[in-house]
Amino acid sequence: MVAHDGNAEENWFRRFAASPEAKARLVCLPHAGGSATFYFPVAKALAPDVEVLAVQYPGRQDRRHEPFLTSIGAMADRVADLLRDKTDRPLALFGHSMGAMVAYETARRLERDGVPVAGLFVSGRRAPSRARDESVHTRTDAGVIDELRKLSGTEMDLLGDDDVVRMILPVVRNDYRAVETYRDTPGEPLATPIVAFTGDADPMATIDEVESWADHTSGGFELVELSGGHFFLTRHQDVILGRLADELGGVRV
């Protein structure tokens, strides 16, 4: 019997649409408690001009029996390791909320190793240098569920199902711990340009906090402000997909 390899590429990346002739590759990193399937619509919309690799963190869905990675750095280490040899086409990163931090740290690791990153697209997250004192991960189960309801990132009817709650709470708590204990390590700014998408009513990231992403790159920065709260991107999917298509595939979806 072949031993299961939790570091294998097929465990970490999901390809929801075949794009063998893609002009670019976009790696999408989910939010806290999220999974690769969140990016299924992105993969379908951008194919075949952009190949989308949706990251599946351990500890959820088909990887639910694998141990969690408990820090943003550990997640970025694994993703960067798997991307270092993918230089056959331009590589870009997209992350929402926690995924934005993993994407940023992945880009730092790749650049340090001489692997160019064509673009970093961050969504729903303040700049790494703008830390807050947060402790959702230390709350009771009811407290964590209240936070999820506030952010509207999980279907509300699912939170009334005890079996679903028991299944997702360890994942969510772990991810919140990773985000809330993360602190940016000062260093050279990225060379890759950063585009930051944000909701104008997002309680997790003020406009001022998002604008500070400009301090983390020498390659150019753009803020795209849209209406909505923390999961504004589901409301503005067409706008975001159109921007990604223009930047990476040269076509409008």
Side-chain angles (χ1 to χ4, degrees):
M1 174 180 283
V2 178
H4 177 73
D5 182 3
N7 295 323
E9 178 179 333
E10 60 267 24
N11 291 319
W12 278 87
F13 298 140
R14 301 290 177 270
R15 291 176 173 85
F16 296 122
S19 306
E21 305 300 324
K23 302 179 181 71
R25 178 175 290 119
L26 178 65
V27 178
C28 294
L29 298 115
H31 52 280
S35 62
T37 51
F38 184 75
Y39 291 111
F40 179 85
V42 178
K44 290 296 186 181
L46 297 183
D49 295 283
V50 179
E51 179 192 47
V52 172
L53 302 182
V55 171
Q56 185 78 310
Y57 307 122
R60 61 212 73 202
Q61 290 187 336
D62 56 334
R63 302 190 70 187
R64 62 188 178 278
H65 298 302
E66 296 179 48
F68 299 130
L69 293 178
T70 59
S71 71
I72 299 297
M75 297 177 195
D77 284 342
R78 301 290 177 86
V79 176
D81 284 345
L82 293 170
L83 292 177
R84 284 189 177 90
D85 63 349
K86 292 189 177 300
T87 56
D88 56 317
R89 62 197 69 179
L91 172 68
L93 303 168
F94 180 100
H96 179 68
S97 197
M98 180 184 81
M101 308 311 296
V102 182
Y104 167 68
E105 287 294 341
T106 298
R108 297 181 86 180
R109 285 155 172 74
L110 292 174
E111 283 198 357
R112 280 200 293 263
D113 289 345
V115 179
V117 179
L120 174 60
F121 301 92
V122 294
S123 168
R125 186 66 192 176
R126 58 190 179 271
S129 53
R130 301 295 295 269
R132 295 184 188 181
D133 184 14
E134 296 174 312
S135 56
V136 173
H137 74 278
T138 66
R139 296 181 188 175
T140 63
D141 289 353
V144 175
I145 293 171
D146 284 344
E147 182 71 11
L148 294 179
R149 287 198 176 100
K150 183 178 75 172
L151 297 180
S152 301
T154 303
E155 294 295 336
M156 292 302 99
D157 56 341
L158 293 180
L159 294 181
D161 186 317
D162 288 345
D163 290 337
V164 172
V165 169
R166 279 195 295 271
M167 181 174 63
I168 69 170
L169 268 178
V171 177
V172 173
R173 191 182 297 281
N174 173 79
D175 290 354
Y176 268 97
R177 181 188 302 111
V179 172
E180 292 172 347
T181 58
Y182 169 84
R183 291 296 180 268
D184 182 40
T185 303
E188 289 296 315
L190 294 172
T192 185
I194 296 177
V195 177
F197 300 98
T198 190
D200 60 4
D202 186 351
M204 301 297 292
T206 66
I207 300 301
D208 179 64
E209 289 173 324
V210 176
E211 285 178 335
S212 291
W213 277 103
D215 300 332
H216 295 272
T217 179
S218 61
F221 170 76
E222 182 179 352
L223 173 68
V224 180
E225 182 180 344
L226 299 166
S227 62
H230 190 57
F231 281 88
F232 67 92
L233 73 171
T234 58
R235 179 192 302 181
H236 298 285
Q237 180 173 291
D238 290 347
V239 174
I240 296 172
L241 287 173
R243 179 59 188 270
L244 293 173
D246 285 345
E247 292 278 348
L248 302 173
V251 297
R252 171 68 68 174
V253 296

